[in-house]
Amino acid sequence: MPGNIIFCNSTGLRRTVVFLFVFCIIQFSSAWIYPASSFSGIGSAVQEKFLGVPFQYCLWLVVSLCFYLDSRRSGLTFYSRVLLPISPFILIGFASSIFGVMPFDSLRYLILFLVMCVSSVLPVSVLPLSVMEKYFFNIFSGIVVISLIYGVAFPDYGVQAYGIQRALRGFFTNKNQFGWFSAISLIIIVVFFDV
């Protein structure tokens, strides 16, 4: 019976990881088709969105399950090697969540940070690097292009008032998130252009 579950065989795990990769980009970049949020948008990135919290926790659960299945298949050596440079930040996060003023909120953000780290390593652990380069190029450039088209075609939704001017936000909750995502996308597009 376990072989029939979608992500227990290697092909199913690869498809699930690609699916998760797209949804992790949506989750962690706050690319939502919803009204503009405040300046930071961090607190409202999930909680003010329709079905945002169930989406977040289901995504965390599926990422954790895929991580568990992949670590049982190939071990934790690759993950520990990739995450070693940021391990001091993880340890500081654990310490601050234990000794902080709001330990439960700190722990929640630390879990979010760990899920983000694992979800960034998981695709490269399961798929060949050349395939992931194509996915990176297509997904990031696709989200930016679609956001630009959305902002131009539907300015009531894809543009946000910023003082007396209007700023393009596309699918994102505010212009700042669209800006940093576009900057990262530009780097990815330039690096993987020949893919």
Side-chain angles (χ1 to χ4, degrees), residues 26-177:
I26 292 170
Q27 169 70 45
F28 301 136
S29 68
S30 299
W32 296 83
I33 309 175
Y34 288 100
S37 68
S38 62
F39 171 72
S40 67
I42 299 301
S44 63
V46 174
Q47 290 148 354
E48 293 178 6
K49 308 297 178 269
F50 177 68
L51 294 177
V53 173
F55 175 79
Q56 176 186 22
Y57 289 129
C58 288
L59 182 67
W60 289 12
L61 180 67
V62 175
V63 166
S64 302
L65 183 61
C66 285
F67 168 69
Y68 170 73
L69 292 172
D70 184 49
S71 62
R72 279 190 56 204
R73 178 183 63 87
S74 59
L76 294 174
T77 308
F78 182 72
Y79 288 92
S80 61
R81 233 182 29 236
V82 171
L83 296 177
L84 184 64
I86 62 168
S87 61
F89 299 109
I90 296 171
L91 294 174
I92 291 170
F94 273 121
S96 67
S97 66
I98 293 170
F99 300 112
V101 176
M102 298 180 348
F104 291 111
D105 285 345
S106 298
L107 187 62
R108 183 175 176 271
Y109 285 122
L110 183 65
I111 290 171
L112 171 66
F113 180 70
L114 290 174
V115 169
M116 289 171 66
C117 292
V118 167
S119 65
S120 66
V121 178
L122 185 61
V124 182
S125 173
V126 174
L127 296 167
L129 191 58
S130 60
V131 172
M132 278 314 300
E133 289 174 357
K134 290 179 185 174
Y135 283 127
F136 265 103
F137 180 82
N138 293 333
I139 292 169
F140 276 83
S141 59
I143 288 176
V144 169
V145 168
I146 291 171
S147 287
L148 289 172
I149 292 170
Y150 179 74
V152 171
F154 304 104
D156 291 342
Y157 301 106
V159 175
Q160 145 184 23
Y162 184 68
I164 59 171
Q165 298 181 355
R166 295 171 57 86
L168 184 67
R169 72 174 183 95
F171 285 127
F172 295 83
T173 54
N174 62 51
K175 66 174 187 64
N176 294 333
Q177 289 170 330

Side-chain angles (χ1 to χ4, degrees), residues 133 136-137 183-195:
E133 289 174 357
F136 265 103
F137 180 82
I184 292 171
S185 299
L186 180 64
I187 293 169
I188 289 171
I189 290 168
V190 168
V191 170
F192 298 139
F193 183 71
D194 60 339
V195 174

